[in-house]
Amino acid sequence: MKAILTLGFCALWAANVFGSNEPSAEAFRVLAPAAKEAPVISPYLKYQTEMAWKEDDQRVKSWSEIRTELDLLRVQRELEKNLLAMLGGLPGERTPLHPQITGKIQMNGFHIEKLIFESLPGVYVSALVYVPEDGIKQHPAVLVPVGHAANGKVRYQALCQRLVQRGYVVICWDAVGQGERSQFWDVKAAKSRYNLICAEHAVLGNLAFLANTNLARWEIWDGMRALDYLLTRPEVDAQRINITGTSGGGFQAAHIAALDRRIKVAVPSCYITALPMRIYNRIFKDPDSDPEQDLYGMISNHLDHAGLLLMMYPRPVFVAAAVLDFFPIEGTRKTMREVSELYRRFHHEDRIGWTEGYHDHQYSPENQEAALDFLDRFNRMPERHGLPLVKELDDKTLQCTRTGQVMLDFENARSLMDVIRNYYLEHRNQPAKTLKELYQSELNPRISAWNVAEFGRTAPGRKEIRWEALGRSDFDGATIEKYSLHHSEYLELPLLYIHKAHSGGRRVMLWIGENGKATAQDWPALSKYLGDGYDIISFDPRGLGETRMPYKALSPDDPALAQLDTEHAYVNPLSGVLSDYVYNSLLTGRPYFLQMIDDAAIAMRFFQGHVNPRAEFIVTGTNGAYTLASAISESLPNVELSPRPDAQVIEWSEIVDRKTEIWPIEYLLPGGAYIH
């Protein structure tokens, strides 16, 4: 014990005499720490929301020029063009469906057929077809795409039974990644490697973005092929085709109806809102990743949910909404008033309507009844009131496949991961933009021209940087200066300027850390650069480091995700704050990855405007952050990349080619697989 005490005293004496090996952690902290972990309207969330509203204002202004029905149809064509571009187009060939009826269930007054068809060669779709037995030769038909539920089509059988008992032929199919269509089935564990609600969609959808397409492309195509199948049936009246679905099914219903004019009446439920409001609340109310609902440029291309509805004009449209939904009801009202006014202007006000139920996210019985009444009116069906009784069947009874999974039943079944990879391989030889060209697109903020001045307690303008000095410390002959850069009206960028005394600030190393700016643990490497004559600047990109929202977004669908620690939960690509930030950025057309490069440009502009206008910049990154460092040097002028033998660079093309399932969500870049 005496020897241990002696050693401890000697270590303490040495630390006091010679100093520690690294500065204190406090020397690297710029902003005051959050008081507690809680949901907050972070500056970055406010910035994203305001950007979305400004883009929406531009859309509203452009629509104000619709004076005639020809104007409206011109806008409609432009919306269709933009939507197809965001999807990466649709498959060009309607290949054979090869439908198989694998079973039949007799019910009272109708029967249910178990169907499997191929929407693409090897892409098997499990579905249920509800057929009335009322002696009538032909019936109207309804497509019912499913919302997010682990058992897919089984969850929505009550709605289907109510429709069939009103005299409709109904088809309801499993969305890819749900029900009998898991793409990541673990045979030994008899379950998906991810949950069958949103997580499989996250893995598929993130990969699809890199290939410059969207998971929605194949969800929409499944619905169009389901309609192709319905039209082969003699019981179906091709002139009376309808669609209704709720939540994820409402998303599918809106997009399928927008693009397929064979559908005469559309009734989306619990989906239609205004996307700027969705940006504002999704982290707190619905954090699970669902990339197909966040098409790249959905707001910046002036589409939004109002555009989807306008694409249906002049067909009848009815929207079912829930007042307590996480799809904000205020957005529903805004969108419906806007589109209804255009229907009214051209004398079709009787063809559009909506209903609100005072409840949470569900296709409530009262909303279903209102929707069915609307469908009956436009399908020339008898007037009826109330909902028929239903007899819900269990999952096993409604199972279409032998094994419970199409990927196990069919030897030639293709995973959608393979389909996405093939899409990339088919398009990779087409001309593509360089990263610099992509960065310098029309939404580039041109930061090199921004004004730089000291912060005066007033918010900076959109193209201003206002610096605020927040202290300094000295260590081992070096000075660590702390700054907060206020910019873009709402944002703060914490920045460190590390330099030796009397340095000229000419050769500047831009240090990119994997979790934000440099920390005390990085001091040995920082010291080496200081010794080589560099000044160093390091910063936290928006939404990372000290600008993280101090909140753990809990997945309502997956208890396993909720068990993650705060650090891993924040960056988790299946459900988390950072992934929602990333998807918000896609809606507004400026990917988060490019915004991180913007932050590097802001740091450099500050340095040139405050320290040395003739600074020469070199950039490096630790571990996976070297990918961002490399992108900064490619995108920004006169920035040299410092080589590192241990560098880890993410190649988007390799992620797609290898069908990598999980990778850092902050590096999601639409079309990135084509950038070399």
Side-chain angles (χ1 to χ4, degrees), residues 130-304:
Y130 297 73
V131 184
E133 295 177 341
D134 54 11
I136 298 174
K137 185 177 180 180
Q138 281 199 321
H139 303 78
V142 183
L143 288 84
V144 179
V146 304
H148 291 99
N151 59 354
K153 62 193 177 303
V154 177
R155 172 76 174 272
Y156 298 93
Q157 59 176 301
L159 171 62
C160 296
Q161 288 190 32
R162 288 167 180 148
L163 285 163
V164 71
Q165 290 184 79
R166 283 221 184 182
Y168 295 90
V169 176
V170 182
I171 187 167
C172 182
W173 63 97
D174 286 324
V176 65
Q178 295 174 244
E180 298 180 67
R181 297 185 66 197
S182 171
Q183 305 295 292
F184 306 100
W185 194 255
D186 184 329
V187 176
K188 187 174 181 180
K191 65 178 184 178
S192 170
R193 297 200 302 278
Y194 307 99
N195 70 66
L196 288 174
I197 301 174
C198 288
E200 286 208 12
H201 285 187
V203 176
L204 294 164
N206 291 340
L207 194 76
F209 273 129
L210 297 187
N212 207 31
T213 180
N214 190 287
L215 177 59
R217 176 184 199 262
W218 289 282
E219 291 191 353
I220 292 166
W221 190 246
D222 286 344
M224 289 181 169
R225 299 315 313 276
L227 175 49
D228 289 343
Y229 170 76
L230 279 183
L231 295 179
T232 68
R233 300 201 50 135
E235 311 100 318
V236 172
D237 181 350
Q239 300 307 310
R240 291 187 291 167
I241 304 294
N242 312 270
I243 192 166
T244 188
T246 194
S247 188
F251 156 81
Q252 293 177 68
H255 286 76
I256 294 167
L259 290 170
D260 196 330
R261 291 196 165 270
R262 296 176 298 176
I263 294 172
K264 306 305 181 184
V265 185
V267 184
S269 162
C270 287
Y271 170 66
I272 297 299
T273 185
L275 284 174
M277 294 182 184
R278 182 83 174 112
I279 280 177
Y280 201 61
N281 83 332
R282 68 190 301 165
I283 291 172
F284 315 117
K285 296 294 186 180
D286 183 36
D288 286 289
S289 300
D290 210 4
E292 74 268 28
Q293 296 194 15
D294 298 301
L295 274 68
Y296 181 31
M298 190 78 174
I299 301 176
S300 58
N301 283 328
H302 298 174
L303 192 64
D304 206 326

Side-chain angles (χ1 to χ4, degrees), residues 490-540:
Y490 307 105
L491 299 182
E492 278 188 87
L493 187 146
L495 179 140
L496 300 172
Y497 171 35
I498 308 170
H499 58 94
K500 293 282 190 179
H502 310 299
S503 66
R506 184 69 179 266
R507 299 174 66 208
V508 181
M509 178 63 69
L510 188 61
W511 174 280
I512 309 297
E514 193 164 32
N515 297 306
K517 63 184 180 305
T519 67
Q521 287 71 35
D522 296 315
W523 189 251
L526 298 174
S527 296
K528 182 179 182 303
Y529 286 116
L530 292 171
D532 290 340
Y534 290 102
D535 284 2
I536 299 170
I537 56 174
S538 189
F539 63 91
D540 286 329

Side-chain angles (χ1 to χ4, degrees), residues 337-621:
R337 283 195 295 267
E338 188 174 352
V339 180
S340 296
E341 167 57 24
L342 289 170
Y343 267 72
R344 183 203 61 77
R345 187 178 304 171
F346 303 113
H347 313 296
H348 295 303
E349 58 268 32
D350 63 321
R351 297 186 184 182
I352 191 165
W354 80 91
T355 188
E356 298 178 5
Y358 192 80
H359 49 71
D360 59 7
H361 183 73
Q362 60 171 300
Y363 206 164
S364 63
E366 58 266 39
N367 280 7
Q368 287 187 37
E369 184 172 1
L372 266 61
D373 289 347
F374 188 87
L375 287 168
D376 283 351
R377 178 155 62 96
F378 286 98
N379 284 277
R380 304 184 303 277
M381 301 291 278
E383 184 176 340
R384 284 161 290 193
H385 301 286
L387 296 175
L389 297 175
V390 299
K391 178 184 178 182
E392 296 205 26
L393 307 174
D394 61 34
D395 295 23
K396 187 69 175 177
T397 301
L398 292 175
Q399 182 176 302
C400 298
T401 57
R402 178 181 54 83
T403 63
Q405 289 296 323
V406 295
M407 296 291 289
L408 301 182
D409 265 28
F410 300 97
E411 290 184 0
N412 68 332
R414 288 196 296 158
S415 163
L416 207 68
M417 294 288 276
D418 290 319
V419 174
I420 293 168
R421 178 180 180 270
N422 288 342
Y423 179 95
Y424 157 66
L425 294 176
E426 290 169 5
H427 292 81
R428 66 177 174 177
N429 292 326
Q430 296 181 6
K433 290 183 178 180
T434 65
L435 186 59
K436 183 175 182 178
E437 289 171 335
L438 188 63
Y439 179 74
Q440 298 293 346
S441 65
E442 60 181 11
L443 291 178
N444 182 281
R446 316 299 173 193
I447 292 164
S448 61
W450 286 13
N451 183 48
V452 178
E454 188 171 3
F455 183 57
R457 300 300 175 186
T458 58
R462 293 179 63 189
K463 297 184 178 182
E464 292 181 328
I465 300 170
R466 295 287 179 261
W467 57 266
E468 181 180 11
L470 294 176
R472 58 187 289 165
S473 59
D474 297 310
F475 183 84
D476 197 22
T479 298
I480 305 171
E481 298 185 29
K482 300 190 283 189
Y483 291 90
S484 176
L485 307 186
H486 303 260
H487 66 94
S488 307
E489 297 182 285
Y490 307 105
L491 299 182
E492 278 188 87
L493 187 146
L495 179 140
L496 300 172
Y497 171 35
I498 308 170
H499 58 94
K500 293 282 190 179
H502 310 299
S503 66
R506 184 69 179 266
R507 299 174 66 208
V508 181
M509 178 63 69
L510 188 61
W511 174 280
I512 309 297
E514 193 164 32
N515 297 306
K517 63 184 180 305
T519 67
Q521 287 71 35
D522 296 315
W523 189 251
L526 298 174
S527 296
K528 182 179 182 303
Y529 286 116
L530 292 171
D532 290 340
Y534 290 102
D535 284 2
I536 299 170
I537 56 174
S538 189
F539 63 91
D540 286 329
R542 58 195 72 184
L544 290 175
E546 293 184 60
T547 66
R548 287 188 175 201
M549 181 186 293
Y551 176 61
K552 179 179 176 181
L554 297 179
S555 167
D557 297 326
D558 193 333
L561 294 177
Q563 298 305 312
L564 293 173
D565 61 72
T566 301
E567 174 75 19
H568 290 91
Y570 189 90
V571 301
N572 189 278
L574 305 182
S575 177
V577 175
L578 186 59
S579 61
D580 284 330
Y581 277 155
V582 169
Y583 298 135
N584 285 348
S585 75
L586 296 181
L587 290 170
T588 55
R590 186 68 174 170
Y592 179 78
F593 185 76
L594 300 185
Q595 292 186 37
M596 289 197 292
I597 301 176
D598 289 343
D599 288 334
I602 288 167
M604 293 164 55
R605 179 73 189 107
F606 154 75
F607 194 88
Q608 290 173 323
H610 178 60
V611 181
N612 188 343
R614 295 180 298 277
E616 299 171 356
F617 292 100
I618 300 93
V619 64
T620 191

Side-chain angles (χ1 to χ4, degrees), residues 4-23:
I4 293 173
L5 290 173
T6 301
L7 287 171
F9 174 80
C10 291
L12 179 62
W13 175 82
N16 289 332
V17 173
F18 298 107
S20 62
N21 293 326
E22 62 189 37

